[in-house]
Amino acid sequence: PAFKKIIETPYGVGEKAAPFDVASTYNNFYEFGYGKGDPASNAAALKTDPWNIVVEGEADITGTFALEDIINENQLEERIYRLRCVEAWSMVVPWVGISLATVLKKFKPNSKAKYVYFETLHDPEQMPGQRGGNIKWPYREGLRIDEAMNELAFLAVGMYGRVLPNQNGAPIRLVVPWKYGFKSIKSIVKIRFVEEMPETTWKMLAPQEYGFYANVNPGVDHPRWTQKQERRLPGGILFPNVIETRMFNGYSEEVASLYSGMNLVKNY
Amino acid sequence: MWDRKEKPIVFVIFCLPLIWLLYSLFSARYFPDPAEPFMTLSGIWSAIFISLTLSLSILAKIPKLKVISRYRRFIGLTAFWYSALHLLAYLVLHAGFSWVWISEDVFKRPYIYVGVAAFLIMLVLALTSSKRIIKKLGKKWKTVHRFLYLASLFVIAHLWWQVKSNPEIAIWLTLIVIIPLVIRLKETFLNKMKKRLH
């Protein structure tokens, strides 16, 4: 289903979006399997309506909220963002949603809210990938509060003008375009304002490879591969479209000030 | 060309994975990023044929399977060709011949250079597999070709160094490579010890 009204924005004007079929059939969502095509094959049964989100922690307003109480359909915008996966592929996707700050401010986080923590649904009945393996479910992610309040951080409920396909994180997901894709947590059921830096799934799994910040940075390699370049999808049948990776995925102007004075090699 | 009439059939069977891989690639089955599935699958087939190569002398001891000792070179070369395909997939599909990408990987990443080392060993073994060179090298040939044991260990390291969160493939391939490898190593060293005792 399509949305009635979407506000146009200047984000990503001139970028060439990947075809919908590519963006909706090639992604990581381990809750539905390890393969890139698994989410599209296995996510159909996910029940996204009704959908509740628990808001808790250091905020004046907390509790359980229905999705439609959190997202005002009249405020939906389209933003075309570059998505850079830590695995060195990337895609341009037109998302539909609301800036994360707009949503978070509604809950009036207090002065102790230094970080925001998110959780994905944990339901092995609906998410076959959660039945085994060595990942400690639910999937967890987090942002520093100033990162979360940055205008670029986005909560998407749709893409390509329509409701998010289940495999892409329906009904609501985070999109943090200057960070590696795994920060953009899908199918969110919990938002918690916290004082300490929260534990996050990939950092728990391999702390020497994935840090809390996970900013796109061509100067800091993954231990097993270079991050200097990326394959922009889709490429040709034989030859990939290899392009240079840019600092903060090309969003330095908007986000570099968040990290002034920070050692980004240490805080990867 | 064919010294035995069943050889073309064996050849076609060995080519089936290749045909399937190429068919999938050109029919865009691996679209939009063919690098990952193609590299994984060609790597798996390469490990399977390495395992077969290592298992040959063990299997040939079974009377009914004696015939396979005729295919030693054939199977060994097939393992080499699948590993060459795996390397080619990395160079073309994954890195798009980007020198930045390849040089960063080859010089800095342990899992890449153990993989390259395994390939180089297999390249030497492939180049020294002709009848003429076998004759020329005589007893030395066997020693040279025992380097396959080292290459197999490199292959196992190459596998484990890149496990992300799902070790399933690495576990299976390690099992099929390490079992014949251990048997072979045992035989080799037992034989050597026996010779010394005599």
Side-chain angles (χ1 to χ4, degrees):
Chain A
F3 295 103
K4 268 179 251 148
K5 190 188 107 196
I6 302 169
I7 303 162
E8 276 181 39
T9 68
Y11 292 102
V13 168
E15 292 277 6
K16 195 169 170 260
F20 173 79
D21 289 345
V22 171
S24 60
T25 57
Y26 185 91
N27 67 322
N28 285 315
F29 196 174
Y30 280 9
E31 280 80 347
F32 296 106
Y34 293 114
K36 294 287 188 293
D38 290 348
S41 321
N42 302 331
L46 178 68
K47 202 166 166 258
T48 58
D49 187 26
W51 191 269
N52 290 326
I53 298 177
V54 174
V55 179
E56 54 188 29
E58 305 293 347
D60 293 349
I61 300 166
T62 54
T64 302
F65 300 88
L67 179 66
E68 48 278 19
D69 296 335
I70 289 179
I71 301 291
N72 179 350
E73 248 197 86
N74 296 317
Q75 292 181 333
L76 294 180
E77 316 178 346
E78 176 167 83
R79 295 190 185 185
I80 300 165
Y81 279 163
R82 296 177 289 274
L83 178 109
R84 169 63 155 83
C85 178
V86 73
E87 298 166 339
W89 55 268
S90 66
M91 238 182 237
V92 174
V93 181
W95 302 105
V96 179
I98 288 176
S99 89
L100 177 64
T102 310
V103 173
L104 294 186
K105 279 175 190 160
K106 282 192 212 169
F107 304 113
K108 298 195 163 63
N110 63 38
S111 59
K112 279 186 178 169
K114 303 273 165 50
Y115 295 89
V116 197
Y117 165 85
F118 301 90
E119 259 178 38
T120 296
L121 177 69
H122 183 204
D123 184 356
E125 292 268 304
Q126 297 190 70
M127 297 178 147
Q130 292 177 333
R131 288 174 206 159
N134 54 357
I135 297 172
K136 217 170 129 196
W137 306 106
Y139 193 86
R140 301 143 217 243
E141 258 311 334
L143 294 170
R144 219 168 56 191
I145 194 81
D146 58 337
E147 297 179 318
M149 293 299 181
N150 185 280
E151 187 49 33
L152 279 185
F154 198 60
L155 274 174
V157 293
M159 62 186 213
Y160 298 83
R162 40 191 144 163
V163 170
L164 270 183
N166 288 352
Q167 61 269 30
N168 293 86
I172 183 164
R173 65 168 292 167
L174 193 62
V175 184
V176 196
W178 72 95
K179 291 175 181 286
Y180 292 121
F182 67 86
K183 292 296 287 183
S184 295
I185 184 169
K186 304 183 183 82
S187 306
I188 298 167
V189 293
K190 189 174 281 181
I191 299 174
R192 186 188 296 148
F193 296 95
V194 293
E195 200 171 2
E196 304 291 327
M197 182 185 280
E199 286 281 272
T200 52
T201 292
W202 278 101
K203 195 175 167 224
M204 289 159 75
L205 275 167
Q208 69 289 355
E209 298 187 2
Y210 310 98
F212 175 80
Y213 286 96
N215 290 315
V216 175
N217 187 344
V220 178
D221 286 345
H222 185 280
R224 285 174 285 141
W225 58 83
T226 177
Q227 297 289 25
K228 290 190 175 63
Q229 297 185 317
E230 64 200 50
R231 291 191 304 282
R232 173 60 57 80
L233 303 185
I237 272 197
L238 268 184
F239 288 97
N241 180 17
V242 174
I243 59 173
E244 303 296 312
T245 292
R246 290 193 280 163
M247 188 63 203
F248 298 119
N249 203 20
Y251 297 101
S252 291
E253 205 179 300
E254 293 92 336
V255 301
S257 60
L258 293 169
Y259 310 102
S260 56
M262 242 177 91
N263 181 343
L264 294 177
V265 176
K266 238 174 105 188
N267 297 288
Y268 53 93
Chain B
M1 186 184 174
W2 305 106
D3 44 358
R4 285 171 210 287
K5 63 175 188 289
E6 73 273 16
K7 232 175 185 175
I9 301 165
V10 178
F11 178 77
V12 169
I13 292 172
F14 285 3
C15 278
L16 287 178
L18 173 71
I19 292 165
W20 178 245
L21 278 166
L22 293 179
Y23 168 75
S24 302
L25 180 66
F26 288 105
S27 66
R29 216 176 108 87
Y30 302 144
F31 187 75
D33 195 9
E36 192 181 298
F38 199 97
M39 284 196 301
T40 308
L41 291 168
S42 56
I44 288 173
W45 284 105
S46 161
I48 289 172
F49 280 100
I50 289 171
S51 162
L52 262 178
T53 311
L54 289 168
S55 312
L56 271 175
S57 62
I58 302 163
L59 295 176
K61 280 184 190 147
I62 302 165
K64 273 193 177 167
L65 291 176
K66 220 180 156 199
V67 56
I68 61 170
S69 57
R70 288 177 193 158
Y71 292 96
R72 286 173 67 170
R73 176 174 32 181
F74 203 5
I75 294 174
L77 281 173
T78 308
F80 167 74
W81 285 116
Y82 276 101
S83 63
L85 185 71
H86 180 64
L87 178 68
L88 194 67
Y90 164 80
L91 294 173
V92 179
L93 303 175
H94 181 85
F97 282 129
S98 153
W99 177 243
V100 174
W101 207 316
I102 295 163
S103 61
E104 285 276 328
D105 276 349
V106 172
F107 297 118
K108 288 192 194 160
R109 317 291 149 196
Y111 85 99
I112 297 274
Y113 54 69
V114 292
V116 171
F119 176 77
L120 290 177
I121 291 174
M122 289 172 72
L123 176 68
V124 172
L125 303 191
L127 291 173
T128 55
S129 66
S130 73
K131 274 183 187 152
R132 196 168 56 88
I133 295 177
I134 295 173
K135 261 188 199 153
K136 221 177 169 184
L137 284 175
K139 271 190 179 166
K140 271 187 228 152
W141 187 89
K142 222 174 182 178
T143 317
V144 171
H145 279 244
R146 285 209 176 109
F147 270 93
L148 182 63
Y149 303 168
L150 184 64
S152 321
L153 290 175
F154 285 162
V155 166
I156 292 169
H158 178 69
L159 272 163
W160 282 99
W161 240 318
Q162 55 189 307
V163 168
K164 221 172 122 192
S165 56
N166 180 15
E168 215 173 295
I169 294 173
I171 291 170
W172 283 110
L173 293 183
T174 302
L175 282 177
I176 67 159
V177 172
I178 213 146
I179 291 170
L181 179 66
V182 168
I183 298 173
R184 287 290 291 272
L185 283 173
K186 242 174 127 183
E187 279 179 357
T188 306
F189 287 108
L190 279 180
N191 283 343
K192 274 197 176 165
M193 272 172 43
K194 269 184 200 160
K195 269 184 196 159
R196 267 186 211 159
L197 285 174
H198 280 291

